[in-house]
């Protein structure tokens, strides 16, 4: 035990040794050149592990991190050997320097032994260009997938719109057929022979058609009363006037009201103001409390009229159809100076004032 301790003491003994500077004859230019170079090399060696440690800290997912740590240890020990070389310029601590070099040698051999077998696996890692190519392929595939999904969504939306349009068309066709059936049934009841039925029925179908044409132009979003009045009355070529604000009509109400205007016009031609050069005035008024609108059909300067002995198709259409559709009332006054028909209805989604 004593011999081992003496051997260790002898290994680290410096009394019989001279600092490394004596080999340089203590020439300042040589000593400080060696010292400055070793210090700079040592600092550089120490900075490299710091950068690598920061990389591992920020990227804990890095592959082969243990090899990087081993390399960091090797670089640190190399830096320490250079600092030790500066120390031994003035201090003959060659035993400590020898042990430091031994540790550095062991770590260096371990690093080299670990690095060479790992080299094939490192070379098998894809290059930056290969990774970028794969990313580009993935991005292109995702773009194609998004485009396909967008196309599928557009197709589904198109199918949904098409179904809605078909359902709406089916609904409107059924309503139109029901209207035609009702017109035919009521016309049969109020006409005496087939010729009279044919004329009355065709006139009513033409009135229904003109209203449908107007609604088609507006894409069945509704119609204004001014438009409906012109579409229904203009082709008669008889004088008429419109006064007051325009009204926005729901499509179903426009059909019913268009038929009612046709019946009033036909009656004016056969029995009322238009038989002898008179005119028709249509006036729209708003009533503030409660919120209501009033539509007045007034015949002027025509023949004296008399109330019919029984209700015809037009009277029933006004008093039942129009009144029921609007949730209001219809009054027909057979005055001697001309017929007056007054329609009163509350403001609702089916009828509303637009502008003066």
């Amino acid at each position: 035990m004593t011999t081992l301790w003496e051997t260790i003491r002898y290994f680290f003994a410096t009394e019989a040794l001279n600092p490394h500077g004596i080999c340089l004859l203590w020439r300042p230019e040589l000593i400080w050149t060696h010292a400055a170079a070793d210090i700079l090399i040592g600092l550089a060696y120490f900075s490299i592990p710091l950068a690598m440690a920061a990389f591992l800290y920020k990227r804990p997912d890095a592959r082969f991190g243990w090899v990087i740590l081993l390399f960091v240890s090797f670089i640190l020990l190399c830096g320490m050997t250079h600092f030790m070389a500066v120390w031994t310029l003035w201090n003959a601590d060659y035993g400590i320097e020898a042990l430091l070099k031994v540790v550095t040698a062991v770590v260096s051999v371990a690093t080299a032994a670990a690095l060479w077998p790992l080299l094939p696996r490192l070379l098998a890692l894809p290059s930056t260009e290969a990774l970028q190519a794969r990313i580009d392929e993935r991005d292109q595939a995702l773009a194609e997938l998004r485009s396909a999904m967008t196309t599928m969504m557009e197709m589904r939306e198109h199918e949904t719109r098409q179904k809605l349009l078909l359902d709406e068309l089916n609904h409107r066709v059924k309503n139109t057929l029901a209207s035609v059936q009702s017109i035919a049934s009521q016309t049969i009841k109020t006409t005496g022979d087939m010729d009279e039925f044919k004329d009355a029925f065709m006139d009513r179908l033409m009135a229904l058609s003109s209203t449908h044409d107007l609604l088609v132009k507006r894409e069945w979003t509704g119609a204004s009363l001014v438009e409906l009045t012109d579409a229904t009355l203009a082709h008669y070529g008889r004088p008429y006037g419109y006064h007051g604000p325009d009204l926005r009509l729901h499509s179903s109400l426009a059909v019913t009201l268009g038929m009612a205007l046709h019946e009033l016009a036909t009656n004016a031609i056969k029995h009322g103001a238009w038989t002898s050069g008179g005119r028709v005035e249509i006036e729209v008024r708003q009533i503030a409390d409660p919120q209501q609108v009033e539509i007045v059909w007034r015949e002027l300067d025509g023949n004296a009229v008399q109330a019919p002995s029984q209700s015809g198709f037009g009277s029933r259409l006004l008093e039942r159809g129009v009144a029921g559709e609007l949730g209001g009332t219809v009054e027909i006054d057979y005055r001697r100076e001309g017929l007056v028909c007054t329609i009163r209805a509350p403001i609702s989604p089916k009828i509303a004032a637009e502008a003066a």
Side-chain angles (χ1 to χ4, degrees):
M1 185 67 180
T2 303
T3 303
L4 177 62
W5 177 249
E6 288 178 353
T7 302
I8 293 173
R9 286 185 61 188
Y10 182 72
F11 185 80
F12 289 101
T14 61
E15 294 83 1
L17 302 175
N18 292 315
H20 191 241
I22 199 172
C23 297
L24 303 176
L25 302 178
W26 298 109
R27 289 173 56 181
E29 70 278 8
L30 293 176
I31 290 177
W32 287 110
T33 299
H34 278 275
D38 281 321
I39 290 173
L40 289 176
I41 294 172
L43 290 175
Y45 273 128
F46 270 67
S47 67
I48 293 172
L50 289 176
M52 298 177 72
F55 171 78
L56 286 179
Y57 178 77
K58 295 292 185 179
R59 291 290 304 275
D61 59 327
R63 300 185 64 181
F64 313 118
W66 60 275
V67 176
I68 297 177
L69 289 175
L70 194 62
F71 191 70
V72 165
S73 301
F74 162 66
I75 295 295
L76 284 174
L77 288 170
C78 287
M80 291 179 66
T81 57
H82 281 277
F83 285 125
M84 196 66 194
V86 176
W87 175 263
T88 55
L89 285 172
W90 290 279
N91 301 281
D93 293 322
Y94 297 118
I96 299 175
E97 184 182 29
L99 287 178
L100 181 60
K101 287 187 176 183
V102 169
V103 174
T104 303
V106 171
V107 175
S108 300
V109 171
T111 302
L115 186 60
W116 281 104
L118 195 64
L119 187 60
R121 297 174 62 186
L122 292 172
L123 293 175
L125 293 174
S127 65
T128 304
E129 291 78 8
L131 287 174
Q132 187 61 48
R134 293 180 185 179
I135 292 172
D136 293 341
E137 291 176 1
R138 183 206 62 184
D139 292 343
Q140 183 178 358
L142 286 175
E144 292 175 355
L145 179 60
R146 291 192 188 99
S147 178
M149 291 180 65
T150 301
T151 302
M152 289 178 61
M153 292 296 295
E154 291 175 351
M155 291 177 61
R156 289 184 180 180
E157 291 176 359
H158 176 72
E159 291 173 357
T160 301
R161 287 196 301 268
Q162 191 174 41
K163 184 178 182 303
L164 288 174
L165 289 173
L166 289 174
D167 291 344
E168 180 66 19
L169 178 61
N170 184 45
H171 175 70
R172 289 176 183 171
V173 169
K174 287 182 177 179
N175 286 346
T176 303
L177 290 176
S179 299
V180 172
Q181 183 181 13
S182 176
I183 291 171
S185 175
Q186 295 296 325
T187 305
I188 289 174
K189 292 179 182 179
T190 57
T191 54
D193 53 40
M194 286 304 297
D195 290 336
E196 186 182 355
F197 165 77
K198 178 183 176 182
D199 292 338
F201 183 63
M202 291 304 296
D203 285 344
R204 285 164 182 164
L205 284 185
M206 290 303 295
L208 181 63
S209 174
S210 66
T211 303
H212 274 234
D213 288 342
L214 175 61
L215 291 173
V216 168
K217 291 179 182 178
R218 298 294 176 266
E219 298 182 350
W220 285 86
T221 57
S224 74
L225 182 57
V226 171
E227 292 175 328
L228 184 63
T229 301
D230 290 338
T232 307
L233 303 184
H235 69 277
Y236 288 107
R238 308 299 173 90
Y240 69 92
Y242 186 100
H243 308 282
D246 196 1
L247 298 178
R248 172 58 54 181
L249 308 175
H250 188 270
S251 56
S252 61
L253 176 59
V255 172
T256 305
L257 201 54
M259 290 299 301
L261 289 173
H262 166 73
E263 293 301 317
L264 288 169
T266 302
N267 183 75
I269 289 175
K270 291 181 178 180
H271 311 290
W274 283 348
T275 60
S276 58
R279 61 183 287 106
V280 171
E281 296 291 341
I282 299 173
E283 182 181 3
V284 176
R285 296 192 292 258
Q286 288 184 259
I287 303 172
D289 191 19
Q291 287 288 321
Q292 287 186 320
V293 292
E294 192 173 77
I295 306 171
V296 181
W297 169 285
R298 182 177 290 106
E299 298 180 17
L300 304 171
D301 304 328
N303 293 334
V305 295
Q306 293 181 351
S309 58
Q310 59 182 8
S311 296
F313 175 78
S315 298
R316 288 193 294 272
L317 177 64
L318 284 162
E319 293 172 346
R320 298 177 188 175
V322 175
E325 185 81 30
L326 288 172
T329 60
V330 175
E331 296 179 5
I332 303 176
D333 188 0
Y334 295 92
R335 301 176 185 176
R336 289 189 58 83
E337 62 272 16
L339 181 141
V340 177
C341 176
T342 304
I343 302 171
R344 296 185 183 89
I347 297 294
S348 70
K350 289 190 173 183
I351 183 169
E354 279 202 328

